[in-house]
């Protein structure tokens, strides 16, 4: 029993409350936000150093016996995600200091960010299906606030569509929770996993898996459930778009990994080919959607969808190695995607528009910005020695070793299209001659450049020193795919069913 | 009872789907409300003691007391009602603001963020 697992949930909650209280004192509110996120980051790093070696850490809320109460579970995958969420939130907050206007800061911008972190951390740590639903709602309501804060026409239109389609996905999730309770008679994930292995009626299990695939697929923006993403992501301030790109869809990916890796492992044999098909379609349609766009953030938004395809491909390969490869890739893409949003957003802020036709000549004016952008797109496309190369290489290796040649070919081909589409932004924004005099443009401030640059440097470092990352995720993938380890950690060596029976007597 | 509830849930889902496919924002929101009611009722039917066996409340002999209902589904529904209530309030406020900004209730007019 390790009650410190509540730290990453309680810290942002208290931080958000304090930041609301000290809303008028801007410096204090900023300091509180920064400290909360730093605590989460430190705790996440510590968790990553502990979780793979010792096996999953478990805490039972209020000390309830395992299958009855809500369990918090931190295995390698959860620890990695908690750490990444805090790290990305830290860069977002630093970027917000330099870019978000005072109006938004006064209207509870930082508390909303902390509440988003609260929901995300809770979703990564919970071991209870209904509790996962509640965390999804927590992070959704914070994201609704963030995406509509400001109330411009674009934000309201995009926000309405974002909200309705996400509510629909949540309702499907709730629907699945209800059916799952009726089918398995429990909502504790470890207990469900145990009962799934013994309960007859495999047809119903397949249906349940399909419902959860729909619910989490719509959160993760896989084809054909991605339409809420490109219509809304370019409307809020850059910092908000960036943190959404880093966290929102990835929570969906995490939930898919968790449900299919743990509860529906038997169904992966059925769903594996369909998942890889969806993954391939997501990659291709996402990147082709990006090719048609002429706005920096809309191009990047479509690329989020395309990259989600790779993460889903890791799941579709239906093995511990596949999950591990998917995790490496997801970690890489969370970092690099946010870096690109920060740098593209900085360019957007300089020109006052994200329209490619109205931009140009930035490479001469801001060589540092251009350098980091170029490194970022090389990493996203997967050029060695950057982290994207490692992520894609491992994924393709697993694909080849499991004879999934078609999806492997599609994944490799999509990389070229990704690079092509990213080069379009490079050419239009940085390389081509500007029609206006670039010397009259405002200079990029250090605060706008630093967060993106730091993330790009991290991507380079992860590419050069890929060993620890890959080793870590190999263990994390095995843990996520091994039901017995999870069940033993949550309910003890005899399993949840034994505890359940004993408690009823 | 189960048959009646099943018919009610089916009707709620059908009505919700119909309303959500209309072009009016107000009808879209009404559809979302109906959908959440349908799901709540569905969760309710999942705890009837028929489908999943005994409720976790037991007497000394290990049997559920006669006439007892599963309390967990009611707790789940209560949580879901509170959440959907909050979201309904938010989406209504948002729809009102977007109606002010756009001046139309037609979803086809809410397409400025989709244009190239």
């Amino acid at each position: 029993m390790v009650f410190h697992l509540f730290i990453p949930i309680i810290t942002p909650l208290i931080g958000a409350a304090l930041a609301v209280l000290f809303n008028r004192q801007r410096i204090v509110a900023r300091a509180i936000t920064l400290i909360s996120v730093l605590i989460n980051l430190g705790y996440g790093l510590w968790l990553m150093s502990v979780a793979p070696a010792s096996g999953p850490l478990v805490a039972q809320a209020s000390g309830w016996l395992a299958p009855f109460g809500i369990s918090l579970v931190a295995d390698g995958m959860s620890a990695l995600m908690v750490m990444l969420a805090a790290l990305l939130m830290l860069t977002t907050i630093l970027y917000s200091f330099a870019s978000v206007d005072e109006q938004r800061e006064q209207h509870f911008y930082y508390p909303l960010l902390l509440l988003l972190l609260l929901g995300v951390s809770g979703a990564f740590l919970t071991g209870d299906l209904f509790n996962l639903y509640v965390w999804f709602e927590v992070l959704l309501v914070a994201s609704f606030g963030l995406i509509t804060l400001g109330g411009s026409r674009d934000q309201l239109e995009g926000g309405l569509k974002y909200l309705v389609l996400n509510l629909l996905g949540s309702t499907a999730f709730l629907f699945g929770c209800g059916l799952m309770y009726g089918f398995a008679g429990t909502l504790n994930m470890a207990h469900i996993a145990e009962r799934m292995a013994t309960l007859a009626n495999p047809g119903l299990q397949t249906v349940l898996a399909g419902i959860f695939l729909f619910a989490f697929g719509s959160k993760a923006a896989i084809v054909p459930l991605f339409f809420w993403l490109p219509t809304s992501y370019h409307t809020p301030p850059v910092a908000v778009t960036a943190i959404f790109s880093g966290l929102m869809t990835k929570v969906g990916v995490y939930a898919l990994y968790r449900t299919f890796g743990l509860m529906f492992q038997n169904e992966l044999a059925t769903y594996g080919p369909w998942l890889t098909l969806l993954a391939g379609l997501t990659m291709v349609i996402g990147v082709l959607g990006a090719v048609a766009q002429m706005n920096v953030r809309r191009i990047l938004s479509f690329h989020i969808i395309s990259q989600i395809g790779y993460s889903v491909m890791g799941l579709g390969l239906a093995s511990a190695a596949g999950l591990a490869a998917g995790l490496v890739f997801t970690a890489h893409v969370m970092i690099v995607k946010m870096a690109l949003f920060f740098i593209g957003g900085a360019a957007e802020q300089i020109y006052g528009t994200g329209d490619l036709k109205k931009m140009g000549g930035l490479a001469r004016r801001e060589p540092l910005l251009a350098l980091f952008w170029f490194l970022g797109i090389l990493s996203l496309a997967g050029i060695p020695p950057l982290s994207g190369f490692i992520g894609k290489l491992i994924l393709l290796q697993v694909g080849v070793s499991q004879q999934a040649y078609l999806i492997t070919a599609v994944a490799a081909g999509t990389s070229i299209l990704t690079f092509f589409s990213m080069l379009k932004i490079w050419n239009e924004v940085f390389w081509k001659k500007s029609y206006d005099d670039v010397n009259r443009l405002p200079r990029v401030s250090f605060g706008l450049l630093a967060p993106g640059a730091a993330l790009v440097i991290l991507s380079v470092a992860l590419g050069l020193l890929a060993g620890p990352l890959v080793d870590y995720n190999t263990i994390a993938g095995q843990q996520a795919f091994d039901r017995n380890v999870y069940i033993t950690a949550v309910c003890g060596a005899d399993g949840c069913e034994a505890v359940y029976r004993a408690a009823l007597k | 009872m189960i048959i009646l509830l099943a018919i009610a849930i089916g009707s709620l889902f059908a009505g919700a789907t119909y309303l959500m496919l209309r072009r009016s924002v107000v009808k879209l929101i009404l559809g979302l409300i109906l959908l959440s009611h349908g799901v709540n009722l569905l969760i309710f039917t999942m705890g009837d003691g028929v489908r999943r066996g005994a409720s976790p409340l037991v007497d000394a002999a290990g049997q559920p007391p006669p006439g007892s209902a599963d309390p967990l589904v009611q707790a789940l529904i209560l949580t879901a009602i509170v959440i959907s209530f909050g979201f309904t309030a938010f989406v209504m406020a948002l729809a009102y603001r977007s109606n002010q900004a756009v001046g139309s209730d037609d979803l086809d007019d809410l397409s400025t963020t989709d244009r190239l």
Side-chain angles (χ1 to χ4, degrees):
Chain A
M1 199 72 70
V2 280
F3 283 106
H4 54 69
L5 274 185
F6 288 94
I7 290 175
I9 297 173
I10 288 174
T11 314
L13 188 61
I14 296 176
L18 288 178
V20 169
L21 274 182
F22 293 100
N23 192 35
R24 293 281 158 196
Q25 290 93 330
R26 209 164 150 209
I27 307 291
V28 184
R30 285 178 166 193
I32 290 167
T33 316
L34 207 55
I35 290 167
S36 320
V37 176
L38 281 174
I39 292 175
N40 260 26
L41 179 60
Y43 183 79
L45 284 170
W46 177 81
L47 207 57
M48 274 180 78
S49 70
V50 175
S54 71
L57 303 174
V58 180
Q60 312 290 359
S62 315
W64 278 83
L65 209 56
F68 297 105
I70 292 171
S71 315
L72 293 188
V73 188
D75 60 357
M77 179 161 74
S78 303
L80 174 74
M81 288 292 169
V82 167
M83 191 284 289
L84 276 175
L87 175 71
L88 299 183
M89 189 55 87
L90 178 68
T91 54
T92 305
I93 284 166
L94 294 176
Y95 192 85
S96 304
F97 288 167
S99 68
V100 168
D101 51 290
E102 209 167 324
Q103 277 287 325
R104 281 198 173 79
E105 288 197 331
Q106 275 179 7
H107 287 90
F108 309 112
Y109 174 77
Y110 294 122
L112 282 172
L113 278 182
L114 284 177
L115 288 176
L116 182 66
L117 184 63
L118 163 78
V120 170
S121 307
F124 289 146
L125 283 174
T126 186
D128 184 280
L129 197 60
F130 193 79
N131 196 230
L132 182 64
Y133 166 73
V134 174
W135 288 123
F136 262 96
E137 302 298 295
V138 170
L139 72 92
L140 264 190
V141 82
S143 76
F144 292 164
L146 283 170
I147 206 163
T148 53
L149 192 63
S152 70
R153 177 177 170 158
D154 278 359
Q155 280 185 300
L156 292 169
E157 282 187 22
L160 191 65
K161 285 176 261 187
Y162 172 86
L163 195 148
V164 168
L165 289 177
N166 268 299
L167 280 185
L168 211 60
S170 294
T171 312
F173 183 9
L174 185 61
F175 184 81
C177 280
L179 287 182
M180 179 60 95
Y181 184 66
F183 176 63
T186 178
L187 287 166
N188 188 299
M189 288 190 201
H191 200 184
I192 292 174
E194 204 178 321
R195 285 198 170 170
M196 279 300 197
T198 55
L199 280 174
N201 218 340
L204 258 179
Q205 292 194 17
T206 311
V207 172
L208 274 172
I211 291 169
F212 281 100
L213 178 60
F214 175 86
F216 296 134
S218 76
K219 303 284 176 203
I222 61 175
V223 167
L225 304 164
F226 64 87
F227 292 99
W228 54 271
L229 197 152
T231 185
S232 59
Y233 266 32
H234 61 287
T235 57
V238 176
V240 175
T241 313
I243 192 65
F244 278 20
S245 85
L247 293 183
M248 300 300 289
T249 47
K250 308 312 184 275
V251 184
V253 169
Y254 167 85
L256 277 176
Y257 276 29
R258 183 60 84 207
T259 43
F260 277 87
L262 181 68
M263 301 183 334
F264 297 116
Q265 218 183 82
N266 301 341
E267 295 304 319
L268 264 183
T270 318
Y271 275 95
W274 294 102
L275 279 169
T276 42
L277 175 72
L278 285 176
L281 284 175
T282 309
M283 287 175 205
V284 173
I285 291 177
V287 82
L288 289 183
V291 169
Q293 302 296 324
M294 284 305 278
N295 176 303
V296 176
R297 274 198 277 166
R298 297 194 63 172
I299 294 175
L300 289 172
S301 296
F302 273 101
H303 277 286
I304 298 176
I305 300 165
S306 175
Q307 311 293 326
I308 286 294
Y310 289 89
S311 300
V312 176
M313 173 187 163
L315 181 64
L317 292 171
S319 65
L323 279 192
L327 274 179
V328 175
F329 185 83
T330 308
H332 138 75
V333 85
M334 283 165 93
I335 293 168
V336 171
K337 202 65 221 215
M338 272 192 77
L340 290 179
F341 267 109
F342 284 148
I343 299 169
E348 208 178 306
Q349 215 132 22
I350 291 172
Y351 286 97
T353 172
D355 189 351
L356 291 183
K357 289 172 200 149
K358 293 179 185 144
M359 302 163 95
L362 207 58
R364 191 164 297 170
R365 177 75 170 160
E366 297 290 351
L368 263 182
L369 202 65
L371 173 74
F372 283 116
W373 174 269
F374 200 71
L375 282 175
I377 63 175
L378 289 182
S379 181
L380 193 73
I383 310 283
L386 297 141
S387 64
F389 171 69
I390 305 294
K392 285 186 177 168
L393 179 71
I394 297 173
L395 210 50
L396 299 186
Q397 274 178 341
V398 177
V400 169
S401 70
Q402 298 190 5
Q403 278 104 38
Y405 298 119
L406 185 62
I407 185 69
T408 311
V410 170
T414 305
S415 299
I416 298 170
L417 285 174
T418 307
F419 193 53
F420 162 70
S421 155
M422 283 291 146
L423 272 184
K424 185 162 92 178
I425 302 186
W426 167 256
N427 282 336
E428 296 284 333
V429 178
F430 293 96
W431 206 240
K432 82 174 178 201
K433 270 202 186 120
S434 175
Y435 303 116
D436 294 329
D437 186 7
V438 281
N439 292 323
R440 276 183 305 177
L441 291 171
R443 298 305 301 254
V444 64
S445 67
F446 176 74
L448 284 183
L449 176 65
L455 288 178
V456 169
I457 291 168
L458 181 63
S459 160
V460 176
L462 284 180
L464 292 175
L465 309 166
L469 179 74
V470 175
D471 292 345
Y472 178 90
N473 279 302
T474 310
I475 298 173
Q478 279 164 357
Q479 279 184 349
F481 207 62
D482 191 342
R483 288 189 286 194
N484 289 332
V485 169
Y486 194 92
I487 293 168
T488 312
V490 174
C491 291
D494 294 336
C496 299
E497 195 62 33
V499 179
Y500 181 79
R501 296 264 169 243
L504 281 191
K505 282 173 189 160
Chain B
M1 187 60 187
I2 273 285
I3 298 285
L4 272 181
L5 277 174
I7 293 171
I9 295 165
S11 320
L12 282 169
F13 272 67
T17 311
Y18 173 72
L19 282 174
M20 281 194 292
L21 293 176
R22 304 293 300 271
R23 271 164 47 187
S24 153
V25 176
V26 176
K27 285 173 184 155
L28 176 71
I29 296 172
L30 286 175
L32 278 175
I33 295 173
L34 281 191
L35 192 68
S36 71
H37 289 332
V39 174
N40 288 342
L41 267 187
L42 178 117
I43 299 176
F44 183 67
T45 61
M46 288 298 148
D48 62 351
V50 178
R51 280 170 192 287
R52 53 171 227 93
S55 81
L57 292 177
V58 288
D59 56 20
Q63 295 302 316
S68 68
D70 187 349
L72 186 65
V73 283
Q74 299 176 24
L76 298 184
I77 294 170
L78 198 59
T79 313
I81 286 175
V82 172
I83 290 174
S84 70
F85 174 75
F87 277 139
T88 308
F90 187 87
V91 73
M92 280 185 162
L94 184 60
Y96 176 67
R97 284 285 286 114
S98 73
N99 192 26
Q100 276 184 328
V102 182
S104 160
D105 183 43
D106 192 337
L107 281 170
D108 281 1
D109 292 334
L110 299 178
S111 59
T112 44
T113 59
D114 287 322
R115 283 187 208 125
L116 287 178

